[in-house]
Amino acid sequence: VYAHDAYGDGFKSVLRHLCVEKFGMRIQTFEVDGFTEDAVASPIAALVAVGMNVVHVIATGLEVVCVIEAAVAQGALRRHPTSLWTLTDGISASDLGLLSIAAKDAIDGSVRIAAQGANDENPLWQRFVQEWSTFTPPPYSDRL
């Protein structure tokens, strides 16, 4: 799920290149153009319709809050069955503090991906890239 702006379009482009072209992964993108309840509802409904359980949100601040609240309301972001959501470093802890209680519960355990360190000189990044293609989710997440 990405914001249709310079940040979101650029981030999506890099992810598509790395995930699809470099590693042969299958991904689907869901564009959000304007962050109102109505604008977010349709992309989230499309995500639900295809059964997506692993989602990366490319947006900032209150945009992410809007996406998370819509995802919880539509059952896309949930504790059971398991779904995994990752967030870019465009969201802060204070932004997440604005979430409803239900959204905070649902997002608990999700991952925030920060841009720092993701370069070819970083040994942890090198290891992540090398091991990603062989990563198998643990048995408790068979729905992912």
PDB file of all heavy atoms in Angstrom, residues 87-103:
ATOM      1  N   LEU A  87       6.118  -1.104   8.149  1.00  0.00           N
ATOM      2  CA  LEU A  87       5.957   0.329   7.943  1.00  0.00           C
ATOM      3  C   LEU A  87       7.306   0.935   7.603  1.00  0.00           C
ATOM      4  O   LEU A  87       8.339   0.483   8.099  1.00  0.00           O
ATOM      5  CB  LEU A  87       5.410   0.990   9.215  1.00  0.00           C
ATOM      6  CG  LEU A  87       4.205   0.326   9.866  1.00  0.00           C
ATOM      7  CD1 LEU A  87       3.918   0.957  11.219  1.00  0.00           C
ATOM      8  CD2 LEU A  87       2.994   0.416   8.956  1.00  0.00           C
ATOM      9  N   THR A  88       7.317   1.976   6.785  1.00  0.00           N
ATOM     10  CA  THR A  88       8.564   2.667   6.484  1.00  0.00           C
ATOM     11  C   THR A  88       8.941   3.579   7.646  1.00  0.00           C
ATOM     12  O   THR A  88       8.179   3.756   8.593  1.00  0.00           O
ATOM     13  CB  THR A  88       8.438   3.524   5.211  1.00  0.00           C
ATOM     14  OG1 THR A  88       7.478   4.541   5.448  1.00  0.00           O
ATOM     15  CG2 THR A  88       8.046   2.686   4.016  1.00  0.00           C
ATOM     16  N   ASP A  89      10.116   4.180   7.534  1.00  0.00           N
ATOM     17  CA  ASP A  89      10.557   5.090   8.589  1.00  0.00           C
ATOM     18  C   ASP A  89       9.870   6.449   8.505  1.00  0.00           C
ATOM     19  O   ASP A  89      10.223   7.378   9.216  1.00  0.00           O
ATOM     20  CB  ASP A  89      12.072   5.238   8.589  1.00  0.00           C
ATOM     21  CG  ASP A  89      12.624   5.743   7.269  1.00  0.00           C
ATOM     22  OD1 ASP A  89      11.849   5.908   6.312  1.00  0.00           O
ATOM     23  OD2 ASP A  89      13.849   5.950   7.184  1.00  0.00           O
ATOM     24  N   GLY A  90       8.849   6.558   7.677  1.00  0.00           N
ATOM     25  CA  GLY A  90       8.070   7.781   7.581  1.00  0.00           C
ATOM     26  C   GLY A  90       7.030   7.905   8.681  1.00  0.00           C
ATOM     27  O   GLY A  90       6.226   8.834   8.684  1.00  0.00           O
ATOM     28  N   ILE A  91       7.015   6.977   9.615  1.00  0.00           N
ATOM     29  CA  ILE A  91       6.061   6.997  10.730  1.00  0.00           C
ATOM     30  C   ILE A  91       6.841   7.054  12.041  1.00  0.00           C
ATOM     31  O   ILE A  91       7.893   6.435  12.168  1.00  0.00           O
ATOM     32  CB  ILE A  91       5.126   5.756  10.703  1.00  0.00           C
ATOM     33  CG1 ILE A  91       4.071   5.785  11.819  1.00  0.00           C
ATOM     34  CG2 ILE A  91       5.896   4.479  10.793  1.00  0.00           C
ATOM     35  CD1 ILE A  91       2.837   6.497  11.433  1.00  0.00           C
ATOM     36  N   SER A  92       6.353   7.802  12.979  1.00  0.00           N
ATOM     37  CA  SER A  92       7.030   7.916  14.275  1.00  0.00           C
ATOM     38  C   SER A  92       6.172   7.282  15.361  1.00  0.00           C
ATOM     39  O   SER A  92       4.987   7.018  15.163  1.00  0.00           O
ATOM     40  CB  SER A  92       7.275   9.386  14.605  1.00  0.00           C
ATOM     41  OG  SER A  92       6.048  10.028  14.869  1.00  0.00           O
ATOM     42  N   ALA A  93       6.781   7.101  16.505  1.00  0.00           N
ATOM     43  CA  ALA A  93       6.042   6.552  17.646  1.00  0.00           C
ATOM     44  C   ALA A  93       4.898   7.485  18.036  1.00  0.00           C
ATOM     45  O   ALA A  93       3.818   7.025  18.414  1.00  0.00           O
ATOM     46  CB  ALA A  93       6.980   6.332  18.822  1.00  0.00           C
ATOM     47  N   SER A  94       5.107   8.799  17.925  1.00  0.00           N
ATOM     48  CA  SER A  94       4.026   9.726  18.286  1.00  0.00           C
ATOM     49  C   SER A  94       2.857   9.613  17.307  1.00  0.00           C
ATOM     50  O   SER A  94       1.701   9.749  17.703  1.00  0.00           O
ATOM     51  CB  SER A  94       4.540  11.161  18.361  1.00  0.00           C
ATOM     52  OG  SER A  94       5.064  11.582  17.127  1.00  0.00           O
ATOM     53  N   ASP A  95       3.157   9.341  16.024  1.00  0.00           N
ATOM     54  CA  ASP A  95       2.074   9.110  15.063  1.00  0.00           C
ATOM     55  C   ASP A  95       1.285   7.865  15.453  1.00  0.00           C
ATOM     56  O   ASP A  95       0.060   7.865  15.437  1.00  0.00           O
ATOM     57  CB  ASP A  95       2.626   8.915  13.641  1.00  0.00           C
ATOM     58  CG  ASP A  95       3.277  10.162  13.084  1.00  0.00           C
ATOM     59  OD1 ASP A  95       2.779  11.269  13.345  1.00  0.00           O
ATOM     60  OD2 ASP A  95       4.286  10.014  12.377  1.00  0.00           O
ATOM     61  N   LEU A  96       1.986   6.804  15.793  1.00  0.00           N
ATOM     62  CA  LEU A  96       1.321   5.559  16.170  1.00  0.00           C
ATOM     63  C   LEU A  96       0.504   5.721  17.443  1.00  0.00           C
ATOM     64  O   LEU A  96      -0.476   5.016  17.648  1.00  0.00           O
ATOM     65  CB  LEU A  96       2.338   4.430  16.324  1.00  0.00           C
ATOM     66  CG  LEU A  96       3.033   4.005  15.027  1.00  0.00           C
ATOM     67  CD1 LEU A  96       4.125   2.973  15.316  1.00  0.00           C
ATOM     68  CD2 LEU A  96       2.041   3.470  14.016  1.00  0.00           C
ATOM     69  N   GLY A  97       0.880   6.676  18.275  1.00  0.00           N
ATOM     70  CA  GLY A  97       0.120   6.964  19.485  1.00  0.00           C
ATOM     71  C   GLY A  97      -1.282   7.478  19.197  1.00  0.00           C
ATOM     72  O   GLY A  97      -2.151   7.432  20.063  1.00  0.00           O
ATOM     73  N   LEU A  98      -1.516   7.940  17.974  1.00  0.00           N
ATOM     74  CA  LEU A  98      -2.839   8.455  17.584  1.00  0.00           C
ATOM     75  C   LEU A  98      -3.817   7.351  17.194  1.00  0.00           C
ATOM     76  O   LEU A  98      -4.999   7.613  16.994  1.00  0.00           O
ATOM     77  CB  LEU A  98      -2.686   9.434  16.416  1.00  0.00           C
ATOM     78  CG  LEU A  98      -1.817  10.661  16.687  1.00  0.00           C
ATOM     79  CD1 LEU A  98      -1.611  11.459  15.409  1.00  0.00           C
ATOM     80  CD2 LEU A  98      -2.444  11.521  17.783  1.00  0.00           C
ATOM     81  N   LEU A  99      -3.325   6.127  17.089  1.00  0.00           N
ATOM     82  CA  LEU A  99      -4.181   5.009  16.686  1.00  0.00           C
ATOM     83  C   LEU A  99      -5.229   4.695  17.752  1.00  0.00           C
ATOM     84  O   LEU A  99      -4.991   4.883  18.947  1.00  0.00           O
ATOM     85  CB  LEU A  99      -3.341   3.756  16.434  1.00  0.00           C
ATOM     86  CG  LEU A  99      -2.414   3.793  15.227  1.00  0.00           C
ATOM     87  CD1 LEU A  99      -1.457   2.601  15.262  1.00  0.00           C
ATOM     88  CD2 LEU A  99      -3.212   3.801  13.935  1.00  0.00           C
ATOM     89  N   SER A 100      -6.350   4.160  17.307  1.00  0.00           N
ATOM     90  CA  SER A 100      -7.372   3.687  18.240  1.00  0.00           C
ATOM     91  C   SER A 100      -6.826   2.494  19.017  1.00  0.00           C
ATOM     92  O   SER A 100      -5.831   1.879  18.616  1.00  0.00           O
ATOM     93  CB  SER A 100      -8.629   3.274  17.466  1.00  0.00           C
ATOM     94  OG  SER A 100      -8.336   2.130  16.660  1.00  0.00           O
ATOM     95  N   ILE A 101      -7.479   2.136  20.089  1.00  0.00           N
ATOM     96  CA  ILE A 101      -7.066   0.978  20.893  1.00  0.00           C
ATOM     97  C   ILE A 101      -7.073  -0.286  20.034  1.00  0.00           C
ATOM     98  O   ILE A 101      -6.138  -1.093  20.078  1.00  0.00           O
ATOM     99  CB  ILE A 101      -7.989   0.802  22.135  1.00  0.00           C
ATOM    100  CG1 ILE A 101      -7.906   2.029  23.037  1.00  0.00           C
ATOM    101  CG2 ILE A 101      -7.652  -0.475  22.885  1.00  0.00           C
ATOM    102  CD1 ILE A 101      -6.549   2.273  23.666  1.00  0.00           C
ATOM    103  N   ALA A 102      -8.114  -0.467  19.224  1.00  0.00           N
ATOM    104  CA  ALA A 102      -8.204  -1.658  18.365  1.00  0.00           C
ATOM    105  C   ALA A 102      -7.051  -1.702  17.365  1.00  0.00           C
ATOM    106  O   ALA A 102      -6.477  -2.760  17.115  1.00  0.00           O
ATOM    107  CB  ALA A 102      -9.542  -1.676  17.624  1.00  0.00           C
ATOM    108  N   ALA A 103      -6.700  -0.554  16.805  1.00  0.00           N
ATOM    109  CA  ALA A 103      -5.603  -0.510  15.835  1.00  0.00           C
ATOM    110  C   ALA A 103      -4.262  -0.762  16.516  1.00  0.00           C
ATOM    111  O   ALA A 103      -3.400  -1.455  15.965  1.00  0.00           O
ATOM    112  CB  ALA A 103      -5.596   0.827  15.114  1.00  0.00           C
TER     113      ALA A 103
END
